Amino acid sequence: MPESPLRILVWNEGVHEELAEPQHIGEIYPEGMHGAIAAGLRKHLPEAEVATATLSDVEHGLTEERLARTDVLLWWGHRAHDDVGEEIVDRVHRHVLAGMGLLVLHSGHFAKVFQRLMGTTCSLAWRNRGERELVWTVNPSHPIAEGIPNPLIVPEQEMYGEFFDVPEPESLIFISSFAGGEVFRSGLTYSRGHGRIFYFSPGDQDYPVYHQAEIQRVLANGVRWAARPGHGREAPAVSNPAHGWFDESHAGAGAPPGNS
């Protein structure tokens, strides 16, 4: 029986596009940032089902039914973090713990759901002067780094710098350096419950970063890594096994020859 295609949902608050801030955003992202991200994923993952949603959709496009059929959710937010309803945050959080993959992009570090999953402020240093960013691979054996040049050059980008207030990652894959001298842990992975999380910082409303082939490849690699399509959607739960359950359920199994 053929495997089901990966089901990917690209979420973008869409506020910059609606307000035309910056004025040239319609020129660099005519289909919105979510449209550019989705297009890149379709190029690298042609068998996947890729959909998009925004803040203005009913229930922000993140209904229970939609999330239940999503293997990996990509999240871009910036201006409207506080406008995301708490019920929706609870829902996304629950699905991540139950096994849905989550890619948090750029200023999504301040998303309510990411802060809840991290348990920290997720604060950082920033400066927006269109500086060159060099994304250095520091974990080349990780599957997310496969096929990515070292360094990956982003000609213009908002600077993110340390200290980045997040927990120690399970894997540190990328570190960025900027023309102003700052460095930043720009590619991090975590596990929460049954879910896998990848934070990746390059990508801003002012610059056409999501059109870069190398950035698109990173996101596609991240989706492959975060997806757990064969895993049931159930969060870890308390159990209370009876004493001796293992011996009773394995009675006679694996006994050495000659023993009875």
Side-chain angles (χ1 to χ4, degrees):
M1 183 175 180
E3 294 184 3
S4 300
L6 284 181
R7 298 164 300 180
I8 304 165
L9 180 60
V10 181
W11 191 87
N12 169 28
E13 65 183 33
V15 173
H16 284 283
E17 291 87 344
E18 291 179 7
L19 298 178
E21 295 182 357
Q23 291 184 351
H24 65 277
I25 191 170
E27 299 173 13
I28 59 177
Y29 292 118
E31 303 299 326
M33 283 180 284
H34 50 297
I37 294 167
L41 292 174
R42 293 186 183 108
K43 183 189 308 180
H44 288 278
L45 304 170
E47 303 302 320
E49 297 176 0
V50 184
T52 62
T54 65
L55 183 71
S56 61
D57 294 337
V58 176
E59 297 186 52
H60 308 335
L62 300 170
T63 64
E64 178 65 35
E65 295 75 18
R66 193 106 183 246
L67 292 176
R69 63 175 186 266
T70 297
D71 294 309
V72 180
L73 172 66
L74 292 88
W75 188 286
W76 197 100
H78 182 214
R79 286 193 48 144
H81 297 308
D82 291 341
D83 294 338
V84 178
E86 294 298 331
E87 180 181 352
I88 306 302
V89 175
D90 292 343
R91 186 181 298 162
V92 174
H93 181 263
R94 173 167 48 83
H95 274 275
V96 172
L97 296 182
M100 182 181 71
L102 177 66
L103 270 63
V104 177
L105 308 178
H106 192 53
S107 45
H109 65 90
F110 271 152
K112 292 178 183 178
V113 69
F114 188 62
Q115 288 182 319
R116 183 182 299 185
L117 288 162
M118 296 297 102
T120 58
T121 68
C122 302
S123 297
L124 44 72
W126 70 276
R127 179 180 59 249
N128 195 356
R129 293 175 59 90
E131 300 172 42
R132 186 192 68 182
E133 177 179 2
L134 300 180
V135 184
W136 300 92
T137 300
V138 295
N139 190 347
S141 65
H142 197 284
I144 294 178
E146 182 180 351
I148 306 304
N150 189 24
L152 189 168
I153 302 171
V154 181
E156 290 184 296
Q157 169 66 3
E158 180 180 23
M159 184 281 292
Y160 275 5
E162 298 291 340
F163 172 59
F164 187 20
D165 184 23
V166 290
E168 190 72 18
E170 293 179 11
S171 295
L172 173 60
I173 305 169
F174 304 113
I175 292 178
S176 290
S177 61
F178 291 85
E182 293 84 1
V183 296
F184 185 70
R185 290 168 291 162
S186 52
L188 313 170
T189 68
Y190 298 91
S191 294
R192 293 293 185 268
H194 294 308
R196 294 175 175 175
I197 302 165
F198 174 46
Y199 173 76
F200 187 60
S201 64
D204 183 83
Q205 70 276 0
D206 285 350
Y207 313 106
V209 178
Y210 291 121
H211 292 299
Q212 278 194 237
E214 304 93 337
I215 298 293
Q216 294 174 349
R217 178 70 180 268
V218 171
L219 298 185
N221 288 350
V223 165
R224 289 192 190 96
W225 172 83
R228 305 190 68 192
H231 190 279
R233 189 61 60 84
E234 186 173 347
V238 173
S239 64
N240 183 217
H243 177 72
W245 71 270
F246 180 83
D247 292 334
E248 292 175 4
S249 62
H250 292 75
N259 291 351
S260 61

